Each structure stands twice: as structure tokens, then as C-alpha cells.
Amino acid sequence: MRRGWGMDPIVAAAGTALVSAMATDAWLQARTATVAMWRRIRPDHADGVGAELDVLRTQVLAARDADDEDTEQALAGAWRMHFQQFLADDPGLAAELRLLLDDHLGPVLSDTERTRVASVVMKAETHDNSRVYMSGRDQHITGA
């Protein structure tokens, strides 16, 4: 994991996908896979994670019912931080997180939710005060 450049893209995607999966009919399978991953990697925390996920699902469903995207994003942010710490402790666990995302969380999401989970990561550096232009789409630059 890169340090000092913000959140790892897999962390951002997994945290968002986990919270999005909570509002699906396939939540039980996604929950089971998430707890199983924790049981393999941090067995002493697996039961607590299961209980936390149950509480979190109730909060996500309430936020969706209230059309409260801010709360849902905050809950996803909390899980992104869990996953970020997970990788900070052991960067080699990125493969486990990718497997959870690709095999268990992503497939239960609707096309719209999968699009929400997708992310673009861009990075630019300059050491001589030159300009850097980055764009995820159209870019029009005028002037010198």
C-alpha cells in the first residue's frame, strides 16, 4: 500500500461496496463472506465484526428509507477506514480484500451500485513548479 497518497483504491471500493451490499437481497451472502475473511485474518475480531455489520445494515436501510445519502456515505467511510487499517497492518492482505470485492460484494450489486463503487485514481507530481493538468473527461486549457 502506498503511504502518504491517500486511500488505497481497493479500500475505497470495498468500503463502498460493503455498505451498498447491505441494502440488497443478497446481503446474507456478502455478510458471511466478510465475516469469513475476518475469521481467516483476525479470528479474535470476527464475531465483533459480524455484530457490527448487523447494526450497520439497520443504519444503512434506515438511511436509504430516509433518502439520506450523507449518512450512507459516512457509514461507508467508516468501513473504508476499517479496511485502510487492515491494509496498513499488513499490505499483503490487499489480495484478500480484492477477492472479497470481486467475488462476494461486487456481484450482489445492481449495475447502478457497481458504477458507484468504481473509482478512478489519478496522481501527478511536479518538482519544478510546472503545471499539471489532469482530467477524467474533457479538458479545455486556454492561456499560457
Side-chain angles (χ1 to χ4, degrees):
M1 182 176 70
R2 296 176 316 260
R3 297 198 185 273
W5 288 104
M7 189 164 288
D8 190 294
I10 188 68
V11 166
T16 301
L18 179 65
V19 170
S20 295
M22 290 178 178
T24 70
D25 292 336
W27 166 240
L28 188 56
Q29 296 98 311
R31 181 196 183 280
T32 299
T34 303
V35 172
M37 180 189 71
W38 234 268
R39 198 168 306 288
R40 283 189 307 277
I41 296 162
R42 292 197 176 139
D44 53 327
H45 292 99
D47 291 335
V49 166
E52 185 177 344
L53 291 172
D54 293 337
V55 169
L56 187 62
R57 181 170 194 253
T58 301
Q59 294 170 326
V60 168
L61 293 175
R64 291 245 173 140
D65 286 345
D67 205 22
D68 181 0
E69 190 162 326
D70 290 340
T71 295
E72 190 171 343
Q73 287 302 313
L75 296 170
W79 270 89
R80 287 190 291 266
M81 294 308 298
H82 276 303
F83 290 141
Q84 184 74 19
Q85 187 60 52
F86 188 72
L87 292 187
D89 292 346
D90 185 351
L93 297 176
E96 284 277 347
L97 198 52
R98 172 57 75 185
L99 183 69
L100 177 68
L101 178 62
D102 291 347
D103 292 356
H104 301 286
L105 300 179
V108 305
L109 302 178
S110 68
D111 289 341
T112 302
E113 294 288 340
R114 270 192 292 273
T115 299
R116 224 173 96 172
V117 167
S119 66
V120 175
V121 176
M122 297 189 291
K123 172 184 156 185
E125 288 182 43
T126 180
H127 298 286
D128 60 0
N129 292 328
S130 59
R131 293 181 186 184
V132 175
Y133 299 94
M134 298 175 71
S135 175
R137 227 184 120 193
D138 298 343
Q139 186 175 69
H140 302 281
I141 301 168
T142 57

